[in-house]
Amino acid sequence: MAISECIRGNDALSEAMSKTTSVAQIAMLQPTCGRCLCVANNHFFGDPAAPHIRLLQSAMVLEQCRDMMEQHNDEAILLVGGDFNSGINEGICEFLGTGRVDKSHVDWLASTGYVWGANIAEKAENQGSTLLEGCTDGVAVTLKHDWDMANAVTGLMEHTWIGHVRQFGLESLACVDHVFYDCSKLKLTGLVPEAPAELIQEHGAPSSAFASDHVAVVVDLAFL
């Protein structure tokens, strides 16, 4: 079932998808040497109770990337990065990194009973325990793509979200910002290391030491 059909067939999902303030910017870049790049810079929906929306948003971004590449340069190399509001092991990163998320994935459970505007406790109470494969009450679809993508931060960065360190300590640090690249055409050659957790805890964020509640993910990539 197409993503657009699932959204149209589910009133709660349609409302949520229409009201999220998520942003995606896709650009085709032509380097002075090497091949053209299709770069998608994203800020996916931040509600912890809505991983299903982030999955759908990522699939929609890839659809737009595919359309742009077909219109301008179908040999372009894909880069997808930004604030995913998701950890490395969550569905959106699994989808981008492996090329597939099945309709049985646990992240689809969140779609059952998800209510826009309710607080997290209410959403957790509303969510059912049975995954629905249709689009009447929940959404569960198999998503696929055929790019060979790797996450530049995997195994190299432990935290990019640092905004709650003063209130909740080091346990609140999380890696939610990612850079996925086509590893059949690019290789990772360098990454700016993350700030020590103790330094983040000492200063807090945002602060004079850390201007944002996220730290930058800066990577060097080279053409193969």
Side-chain angles (χ1 to χ4, degrees):
M1 182 176 291
I3 294 174
S4 58
E5 293 177 12
C6 284
I7 296 173
R8 285 196 299 268
N10 185 317
D11 291 341
L13 182 60
S14 295
E15 180 182 20
M17 294 290 285
S18 68
K19 290 185 176 180
T20 65
T21 54
S22 308
V23 175
Q25 180 187 52
I26 303 172
M28 297 290 288
L29 305 179
Q30 179 63 61
T32 55
C33 61
R35 294 169 61 182
C36 186
L37 300 172
C38 179
V39 181
N41 186 23
N42 310 275
H43 188 279
F44 293 110
F45 188 41
D47 189 341
H52 63 297
I53 290 181
R54 290 186 285 279
L55 268 173
L56 292 171
Q57 289 176 332
S58 66
M60 294 169 70
V61 167
L62 291 190
E63 285 184 353
Q64 292 299 311
C65 289
R66 178 69 72 190
D67 289 346
M68 182 172 285
M69 292 166 71
E70 289 177 351
Q71 292 175 28
H72 299 283
N73 188 331
D74 59 6
E75 295 296 319
I77 301 172
L78 182 63
L79 291 169
V80 181
D83 180 359
F84 285 47
N85 277 303
S86 297
I88 288 174
N89 296 319
E90 294 185 44
I92 184 174
C93 290
E94 180 179 334
F95 170 52
L96 288 169
T98 68
R100 182 183 178 97
V101 160
D102 290 326
K103 60 185 179 183
S104 60
H105 195 280
V106 66
D107 279 8
W108 294 123
L109 283 171
S111 69
T112 306
Y114 184 84
V115 179
W116 177 264
N119 63 39
I120 293 175
E122 291 172 335
K123 289 171 183 173
E125 185 177 337
N126 284 331
Q127 286 169 6
S129 59
T130 302
L131 195 66
L132 301 179
E133 296 185 3
C135 296
T136 55
D137 195 17
V139 57
V141 294
T142 296
L143 301 176
K144 302 177 184 178
H145 70 77
D146 56 5
W147 285 287
D148 188 8
M149 304 292 282
N151 190 350
V153 308
T154 300
L156 298 176
M157 296 190 74
E158 295 183 355
H159 49 262
T160 64
W161 160 250
I162 60 176
H164 287 160
V165 68
R166 279 220 169 125
Q167 299 97 314
F168 304 111
L170 296 179
E171 293 76 15
S172 67
L173 300 178
C175 185
V176 301
D177 302 88
H178 308 278
V179 176
F180 284 86
Y181 62 97
D182 187 336
C183 57
S184 69
K185 300 172 182 176
L186 295 170
K187 64 178 179 179
L188 179 68
T189 60
L191 183 144
V192 173
E194 61 196 357
E198 294 74 16
L199 183 65
I200 297 171
Q201 186 175 40
E202 177 184 352
H203 292 278
S207 66
S208 58
F210 299 97
S212 172
D213 52 9
H214 292 251
V215 295
V217 178
V218 183
V219 302
D220 290 328
L221 298 168
F223 293 106
L224 291 174

